[in-house]
């Protein structure tokens, strides 16, 4: 799955890669989380455009978004059947620029965070689906979900699901819902090839959304690992005394 990601490439570089007409200027983001506004690239009126949308899709048919669980991911295997996604996969496909994402691995009952990125360091375009919810008073909310697929054998060591990344030479095919229907793009909805991505363990500082700095991407140091290790439970004094006197109780 994908629950946090990063955008660190300069805006001009991303504009060149994704080909949108706008020239937005935005700071690097190192800990993007659901419900936050995120950059989205869509095909509109024959051209690619940069938009901001809330991460967490709300289908158009929802009556009250406050009572609906946000959909941050969409499983590639079921996007054509699920009511929340079956219309979006036909006409509202989009891309989310990113430079990597985070995943948490369960190790001995503890979840350790990892930063995952292309081995060559290039940005990626997450396959995504967009929807616009319209309220009774005319309000509109544009929202988006990232498409996920089964992980390759190497990435499966961290998690069994990964975000789908679309290759630049397939951007047009993915974005153009008029020329390419849902059946035409399903072959694109696969995880990265084995060896395409690399990863390393990072500090648990990433767990707090308020932490949003470049230090989050650095490999964890031995000092950090020691500081973040679970502390041994304190042994009660009474129990220690009882052990020393072979079971003869003590009042003190």
């Amino acid at each position: 799955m994908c629950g946090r990601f990063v955008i660190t490439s300069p805006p001009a570089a991303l504009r060149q890669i994704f080909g949108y007409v706008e020239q937005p200027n935005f700071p690097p983001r190192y800990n993007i989380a659901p419900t936050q506004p995120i950059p989205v690239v869509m095909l509109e009126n024959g051209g690619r455009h940069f938009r901001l949308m809330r991460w967490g899709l709300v289908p158009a048919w929802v009556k009250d978004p406050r009572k609906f669980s946000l959909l941050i991911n969409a499983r590639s295997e079921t996007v054509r059947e699920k009511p929340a996604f079956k219309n979006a996969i036909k006409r509202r496909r989009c891309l989310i620029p990113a430079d990597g994402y985070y995943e948490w691995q369960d190790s001995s009952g503890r979840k350790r965070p990892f930063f995952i990125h292309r081995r060559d360091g290039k940005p990626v375009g997450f396959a995504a689906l967009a929807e616009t919810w319209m309220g009774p008073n005319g309000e509109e909310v544009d929202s988006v979900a990232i498409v996920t697929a089964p992980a390759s054998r190497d990435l499966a060591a961290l998690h069994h699901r990964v975000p789908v990344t679309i290759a630049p030479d397939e951007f047009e095919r993915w974005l153009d819902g008029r020329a390419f229907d849902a059946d035409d793009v399903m072959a694109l909805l696969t995880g990265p090839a084995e060896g395409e991505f690399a990863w390393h363990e990072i500090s648990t500082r990433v767990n707090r959304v308020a932490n949003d700095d470049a230090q989050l991407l650095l490999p964890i140091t031995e000092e950090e690992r020691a500081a973040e290790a679970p502390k041994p439970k304190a042994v009660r004094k009474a129990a220690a005394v009882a052990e020393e006197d072979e079971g003869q109780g003590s009042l003190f």
Side-chain angles (χ1 to χ4, degrees):
M1 63 172 294
C2 181
R4 303 274 184 87
F5 69 96
V6 307
I7 302 176
T8 57
S9 292
L14 291 177
R15 180 173 182 260
Q16 183 176 13
I17 293 170
F18 289 90
Y20 43 80
V21 298
E22 293 78 14
Q23 300 183 45
N25 187 22
F26 48 88
R29 294 291 311 280
Y30 298 95
N31 202 0
I32 300 173
T35 75
Q36 295 178 349
I38 62 173
V40 173
V41 181
M42 298 192 72
L43 188 66
E44 297 175 337
N45 301 319
R48 296 182 194 174
H49 294 272
F50 177 98
R51 299 286 183 259
L52 286 177
M53 297 186 182
R54 185 174 68 173
W55 184 13
L57 187 140
V58 178
W61 42 261
V62 169
K63 292 184 177 180
D64 187 351
R66 295 171 299 181
K67 299 179 180 179
F68 184 81
S69 298
L70 296 179
L71 302 171
I72 66 171
N73 293 151
R75 295 175 67 93
S76 61
E77 301 93 325
T78 57
V79 289
R80 285 184 292 183
E81 292 80 36
K82 291 288 186 180
F85 307 120
K86 66 180 183 180
N87 289 326
I89 188 64
K90 297 175 183 177
R91 294 289 181 266
R92 290 182 289 278
R93 301 190 296 262
C94 53
L95 292 165
I96 296 175
D99 287 274
Y101 67 101
Y102 300 115
E103 191 56 82
W104 282 258
Q105 181 187 50
D106 197 339
S107 176
S108 302
R110 298 183 64 230
K111 288 191 174 182
R112 299 298 315 179
F114 289 78
F115 175 55
I116 306 168
H117 56 93
R118 277 186 61 98
R119 195 174 295 275
D120 59 13
K122 294 181 179 179
V124 299
F126 290 151
L129 302 174
E131 191 63 89
T132 298
W133 178 85
M134 300 185 65
N137 300 316
E139 64 270 35
E140 294 186 4
V141 177
D142 293 322
S143 59
V144 65
I146 296 173
V147 182
T148 67
S152 56
R153 185 172 57 179
D154 54 350
L155 285 171
L158 300 179
H159 197 277
H160 65 284
R161 305 288 300 182
V162 293
V164 171
T165 55
I166 304 295
D169 59 357
E170 295 287 5
F171 282 177
E172 195 68 17
R173 180 180 172 192
W174 172 251
L175 293 173
D176 194 345
R178 291 180 178 272
F180 304 96
D181 62 22
D183 291 335
D184 295 326
V185 300
M186 292 307 296
L188 301 178
L189 301 185
T190 60
E194 189 167 349
E196 185 177 349
F197 276 60
W199 60 90
H200 56 262
E201 186 179 348
I202 59 173
S203 167
T204 55
R205 288 185 61 243
V206 73
N207 294 352
R208 292 192 68 236
V209 175
N211 293 330
D212 189 354
D213 57 78
Q215 300 300 310
L216 297 179
L217 306 184
L218 299 179
I220 190 170
T221 65
E222 289 305 318
E223 290 78 9
E224 288 173 326
R225 194 187 304 277
E228 295 174 5
K231 303 297 186 290
K233 294 182 179 180
V235 179
R236 291 185 304 171
K237 185 175 181 181
V241 171
E243 219 172 68
E244 290 171 1
D245 64 10
E246 297 181 343
Q248 303 300 313
S250 173
L251 294 178
F252 306 99

